[in-house]
Structure formats: C-alpha cells, structure tokens
Amino acid sequence: PVKQTDPTLYILKIFRAGGVHPDVKVTPFLVFFFFLNCTIVSAVIVLAAVGAVVGILNNDINEVVECLQSVFIYIHILSKHCVLYYNKPLLSQLLKQRSQFLKIEDFNSEVRDQNEGLLVKASRFVNVFMFMTSCVVFSFYMQPYLTGGDLPVSVYVPEGWYYYIHFGFWPLAPCIVASIYGSDALFCAISVPVIIQFRLLAHKIRSWKMEEIKTKDEVTRKEFKQSLKELVDHQNFLFEYCNQINRFNNGIFLNQFLLSVGIICVQLFVVSQKGFKLPNKLKCIGYSFMEIIETGIYCFNAELVSDASEDVGNAAYDAQWYESDDCNVRKDIALIIARAQNRIVFSGYGFVWINLKTFTQIFKTALSFYSYLHNVVLN
C-alpha cells in the first residue's frame, strides 16, 4: 500500500465538511452554514450563562460548574471556527507555499527514509487523533440517550424548548470536529514538514566539504556561492513561513491557553464530585484527556520547530566557515548563523508564548483553580 505522507490530507476533508476548507468557493449556503453555527453556538453560550445564574440563585454549585463548562467549551468552538473561517486565504497561501519546500527525494536514501518516516508517523498521529476526537464528540451526543433527559452539555432550558435545543446541537457536529480538533491537527500537520525542512537545510550544510569552502578554483567557488545563496534564501523563506503560521494561529493560541485552563479545571471538578452522573464523568474524562493532547500538540510542535531552526545555525558554525578566504562566503554563512540565533517563537498576540514551559504552566494553573473550587464546595 502507498504510505500517506501528507498529514493535511484528511484534515482538509474534515474542513470541507465543517465549511472552513480554504479552497472552497464562498457560496450563499456556506455563508448561511457559518452564521447558522455561530448563531446556535452563541445561543448555547447565553443559555448556559443563564443556567449558571439560576444555579447561583439556587445555591447549586454543580449546576453552576456544568453551565460554566458549557460556556468554556462553546467559546472554544466559536473562536476557533471564526479564526478558521476568516483566515481561509492565509491557510490557502500556506498550503500553496509548500511547493517551495526542498524535495525529500533529492536527498540520499538514509535522509529520505528518515524524513519520509517522520511524515508517515505524523499522518498516522493526525488520523488517530481525529478518530479519538470524533469519539469524544460522539460521547457528548450520546449523553441524552444514556441519561434519559440530559442535553449534550448543560444549559438552561425554557419550558417546552427541550427538543428544539436538543436537535439544535446536531448541525454543530461537523463544526465542532473541524474547529476544535481540526485546528489542533492542522498545526501538527503543517509544523512537521517545517521541522523536516530545517533538518534538510542543516543536512545540506553539514554536507559541505572543506575543499568547497576553501577552494580557489573560480568555477567551484561560483557554484558553491550560488548554492550558499540558495540556502540563505530558503532559510529566510522558512522563517517567514513560520511567521505566517503564527499569524494564522494567533487567535487559536490565545484561545487554547485561556480556555484550556478553565475547561480542565471544571472537568476535574465534575469527575471528582459525587453529585454527577457516570456518563457525564466519563464524557469529562475523555474531553480532559483530549484537552491535554491538544495543548501538547501546540507546545511540543512549537518547541521542535524552534530547536530545528537553531540546529541550522549549529551546522553552519561546525562547517568552519571562518576558514574561507572569501569574505562573501564568510558573510553569507555568518548570516545563516545569526538568523538561526533569532529563535522562532509562536505566541497568541504576544500575550502567551507557546512552548513546553507554557504546557506545564497551564496544568499548574488549572490544578490551582480546581483546588480552590474544591475547597469552596467542602466549606
């Protein structure tokens, strides 16, 4: 069988179902579908907020927490959906610019097999992740049938409106999978090829021979300088490509950092309290687990991209560039080293940095809020 080496393949199919595919022409139906989902999500947020107020008035902390969970989840959906919908041109540009990547097949078999293997693993991870997330979403939709009356998420239900609200959740299914989890898988799918590009760039630099650096033959020197210029240009291209990835994901990064803290906190509370039904607890365990994986996708991939870009500078420095008697060669290699020292960072509008430190910070903060909420209930 042919191995899938494009991690974005199935993600884009899910985006098509969710109405956020970058290359789908905007039609009246697509616009209606977008605003329908946004309207339903906004209505759910309002109903959940009203339920939280009612719970406070009735001194029912469990109802308040469940409604807060609904608010967090659906703000999560709405903000990611809007980012994907309005940034479709930027995503289309990112996908098209992959044609400028170095071709893996142009390298020797060892490098080729290593990097193609990484693409295959990334594709498998994305596919498994999307399957698992679909199961989590399905568990939410099954809750009304397992509990005999509860909605997929807790909201205030005006008298006689149960079935309208219940069936109003169903049009959200493709939007939820594409928005919440498709955006996470997409970041992994576009980050891994960038990591590979930096690795290929470093390999090209490490493949230099000292004779090429120190050569006095004009033909060889000209060829080396031309290849060196191409490497400098490609490094600049990759840095700009990473900046575009960050511009596309700015809102998603900030959303993930802020809301994952609240979501994990309230779900831990639901799982730990006796007043909640078993299907609700199981649903929250699954969602909490996927929330951890979601956050890990952003933080770990961002860290790997940064490390791979720095390795290009290390490779250039190890090439003993200072041995060349051509000042232009020394200058170009020094540019590679200097550019690599400007570490690539991803952030949510500059308010939060996406890296491994942030990954641990999110869970420390969530556990702190959970401990406070748990103590409030006990007292």
Side-chain angles (χ1 to χ4, degrees), residues 19-149:
V20 290
H21 192 285
D23 293 332
V24 172
K25 183 180 179 182
V26 177
T27 62
F29 172 76
L30 187 60
V31 174
F32 171 76
F33 182 70
F34 171 73
F35 284 105
L36 173 67
N37 280 316
C38 289
T39 302
I40 295 175
V41 169
S42 301
V44 170
I45 294 171
V46 171
L47 289 172
V50 171
V53 172
V54 172
I56 292 172
L57 296 176
N58 295 334
N59 294 318
D60 188 345
I61 187 65
N62 288 353
E63 182 179 347
V64 172
V65 169
E66 284 204 276
C67 288
L68 284 177
Q69 176 183 231
S70 303
V71 171
F72 290 147
I73 290 174
Y74 280 91
I75 291 177
H76 203 41
I77 296 170
L78 182 61
S79 57
K80 283 191 172 183
H81 190 62
C82 290
V83 168
L84 291 175
Y85 185 84
Y86 287 111
N87 283 351
K88 287 195 294 181
L90 185 52
L91 177 57
S92 179
Q93 185 180 357
L94 284 171
L95 296 175
K96 288 176 181 176
Q97 285 182 331
R98 294 185 300 179
S99 62
Q100 300 179 43
F101 284 180
L102 297 173
K103 303 294 187 293
I104 296 178
E105 55 269 20
D106 294 340
F107 291 78
N108 62 52
S109 58
E110 182 181 356
V111 175
R112 184 170 61 248
D113 292 344
Q114 182 182 16
N115 289 289
E116 283 183 347
L118 181 57
L119 281 176
V120 171
K121 289 178 182 177
S123 298
R124 288 174 180 169
F125 170 78
V126 165
N127 295 341
V128 171
F129 175 75
M130 295 307 299
F131 173 76
M132 292 173 64
T133 55
S134 298
C135 292
V136 170
V137 173
F138 181 74
S139 70
F140 274 75
Y141 279 90
M142 287 298 101
Q143 184 167 332
Y145 307 103
L146 296 175
T147 60

Side-chain angles (χ1 to χ4, degrees), residues 67-250:
C67 288
L68 284 177
Q69 176 183 231
S70 303
V71 171
F72 290 147
I73 290 174
Y74 280 91
I75 291 177
H76 203 41
I77 296 170
L78 182 61
S79 57
K80 283 191 172 183
H81 190 62
C82 290
V83 168
L84 291 175
Y85 185 84
Y86 287 111
N87 283 351
K88 287 195 294 181
L90 185 52
L91 177 57
S92 179
Q93 185 180 357
L94 284 171
L95 296 175
K96 288 176 181 176
Q97 285 182 331
R98 294 185 300 179
S99 62
Q100 300 179 43
F101 284 180
L102 297 173
K103 303 294 187 293
I104 296 178
E105 55 269 20
D106 294 340
F107 291 78
N108 62 52
S109 58
E110 182 181 356
V111 175
R112 184 170 61 248
D113 292 344
Q114 182 182 16
N115 289 289
E116 283 183 347
L118 181 57
L119 281 176
V120 171
K121 289 178 182 177
S123 298
R124 288 174 180 169
F125 170 78
V126 165
N127 295 341
V128 171
F129 175 75
M130 295 307 299
F131 173 76
M132 292 173 64
T133 55
S134 298
C135 292
V136 170
V137 173
F138 181 74
S139 70
F140 274 75
Y141 279 90
M142 287 298 101
Q143 184 167 332
Y145 307 103
L146 296 175
T147 60
D150 290 345
L151 290 169
V153 294
S154 295
V155 298
Y156 172 74
V157 181
E159 186 176 353
W161 278 77
Y162 173 81
Y163 289 103
Y164 295 105
I165 297 174
H166 172 68
F167 291 108
F169 281 105
W170 286 97
L172 291 173
C175 166
I176 291 172
V177 176
S179 301
I180 290 190
Y181 299 119
S183 57
D184 308 327
L186 178 67
F187 184 71
C188 177
I190 61 179
S191 294
V192 171
V194 173
I195 294 168
I196 290 174
Q197 287 300 300
F198 280 118
R199 289 183 177 182
L200 295 178
L201 197 59
H203 175 78
K204 273 183 170 286
I205 293 173
R206 289 193 173 98
S207 299
W208 289 341
K209 297 177 181 178
M210 185 55 62
E211 304 84 64
E212 294 176 311
I213 297 176
K214 300 175 67 175
T215 183
K216 295 185 183 297
D217 180 72
E218 282 301 320
V219 176
T220 306
R221 176 176 290 189
K222 185 176 180 180
E223 291 176 351
F224 179 72
K225 289 172 70 173
Q226 178 60 32
S227 66
L228 180 57
K229 181 181 181 301
E230 290 173 358
L231 293 181
V232 172
D233 291 342
H234 193 64
Q235 185 192 31
N236 291 334
F237 161 73
L238 290 177
F239 268 77
E240 178 55 31
Y241 191 83
C242 290
N243 288 335
Q244 290 182 27
I245 292 175
N246 194 79
R247 285 198 294 273
F248 175 79
N249 285 285
N250 261 321

Side-chain angles (χ1 to χ4, degrees), residues 187 191 195 198-199 253 295-311 343-346 353-359:
F187 184 71
S191 294
I195 294 168
F198 280 118
R199 289 183 177 182
F253 290 152
T295 308
I297 286 174
Y298 291 111
C299 295
F300 280 89
N301 280 288
E303 194 80 20
L304 288 173
V305 170
S306 297
D307 291 344
S309 68
E310 284 188 344
D311 190 48
R343 187 175 176 85
I344 291 176
V345 292
F346 296 97
W353 305 106
I354 307 302
N355 49 41
L356 292 181
K357 184 178 180 181
T358 302
F359 183 73

